[in-house]
């Protein structure tokens, strides 16, 4: 099974309901996804928004798991693949493949994405389309990553203040109790 357009519409709709202040930025994406779901195909000459998903994993010390990417540390993000049944499952698959993370659980009361961010074409590495990133919040003990992965520099637990994406950093500060 793969992620269906109606799942994306449902995630967007719930998120917009919970975060009405973000409605204006997300409505074009919501309209395109709803159009896809109703028609069952893309009629936008492949100019429609590109959906990505990512897992934001926070440990017991409120540090965020970052992966080595192009010489620097970044949050994990990828396009969902055919075998993924949900966007959150795709985010966890990415982390499992990249660093072998285990024993991850969702943050209480956070079934949907904790953040949906939109990046204009030309401001990301995915090409000429609008990018919409569904980010899901997970918790894990710092030992959920094998020490050899950390020692090899493939991943690191980063202090919240060092997260370079302001929307993620700010949402985490507002969400995590005792976050710096």
């Amino acid at each position: 099974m793969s992620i269906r357009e109606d799942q994306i519409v449902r995630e967007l709709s719930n998120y917009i309901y919970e975060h009405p202040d973000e409605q204006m930025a997300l409505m074009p994406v919501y309209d395109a996804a709803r159009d896809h779901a109703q028609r069952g195909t893309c009629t936008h000459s492949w100019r429609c928004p590109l959906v990505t998903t990512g897992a934001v994993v926070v440990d017991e010390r409120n540090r965020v798991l970052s992966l080595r990417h192009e010489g620097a540390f970044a949050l994990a993000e990828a396009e969902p693949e055919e075998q993924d049944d949900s966007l959150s499952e795709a985010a966890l698959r990415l982390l499992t493949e990249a660093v072998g993370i285990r024993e991850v659980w969702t943050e209480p009361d956070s079934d949907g994405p904790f953040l949906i961010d939109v990046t204009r074409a030309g401001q990301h590495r995915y090409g000429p389309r609008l990018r919409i990133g569904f980010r899901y919040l997970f918790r894990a003990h710092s030992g959920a990553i094998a020490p050899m992965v950390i020692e090899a520099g493939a991943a690191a637990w980063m202090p919240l203040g060092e997260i370079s994406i302001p929307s993620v950093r700010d949402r985490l500060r507002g969400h995590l109790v005792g976050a710096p």
Side-chain angles (χ1 to χ4, degrees):
M1 182 172 197
S2 64
I3 298 167
R4 297 184 326 264
E5 297 294 337
D6 63 326
Q7 291 172 312
I8 294 170
V9 170
R10 194 170 31 256
E11 292 275 7
L12 277 165
S13 180
N14 291 338
Y15 184 86
I16 290 169
Y17 178 77
E18 291 178 18
H19 304 276
D21 55 316
E22 298 177 40
Q23 180 176 0
M24 291 302 290
L26 295 175
M27 282 313 291
V29 175
Y30 175 82
D31 290 340
R34 193 182 64 205
D35 191 40
H36 283 203
Q38 290 173 343
R39 295 176 190 263
T41 187
C42 178
T43 59
H44 305 103
S45 301
W46 299 105
R47 292 182 321 246
C48 55
L50 172 72
V51 173
T52 65
T53 185
V56 177
V57 181
V58 180
D59 75 356
E60 68 277 6
R61 293 173 33 199
N62 286 337
R63 298 177 302 174
V64 180
L65 181 64
S66 296
L67 306 181
R68 171 89 50 204
H69 180 72
E70 298 179 358
F73 284 106
L75 296 178
E77 179 177 277
E79 293 179 63
E81 295 180 359
E82 188 65 32
Q83 75 266 22
D84 299 322
D85 289 330
S86 70
L87 292 167
S88 62
E89 179 183 298
L92 281 177
R93 175 193 46 77
L94 169 66
L95 283 177
T96 301
E97 290 172 358
V99 294
I101 195 166
R102 59 189 188 284
E103 299 175 21
V104 176
W105 64 93
T106 58
E107 186 72 12
D109 298 324
S110 63
D111 295 335
F114 92 105
L115 178 67
I116 297 177
D117 57 339
V118 177
T119 309
R120 296 184 188 279
Q123 295 179 343
H124 56 75
R125 66 178 191 264
Y126 295 106
R129 295 163 52 191
L130 187 70
R131 179 210 138 275
I132 178 169
F134 289 78
R135 298 186 190 270
Y136 295 86
L137 182 59
F138 297 94
R139 297 296 293 218
H141 292 289
S142 55
I145 302 294
M148 66 183 147
V149 172
I150 301 291
E151 291 166 9
W157 291 103
M158 307 293 285
L160 185 55
E162 292 183 27
I163 300 303
S164 63
I165 305 169
S167 59
V168 172
R169 188 179 56 242
D170 294 346
R171 183 64 54 91
L172 280 172
R173 275 196 181 116
H175 191 78
L176 299 174
V177 176

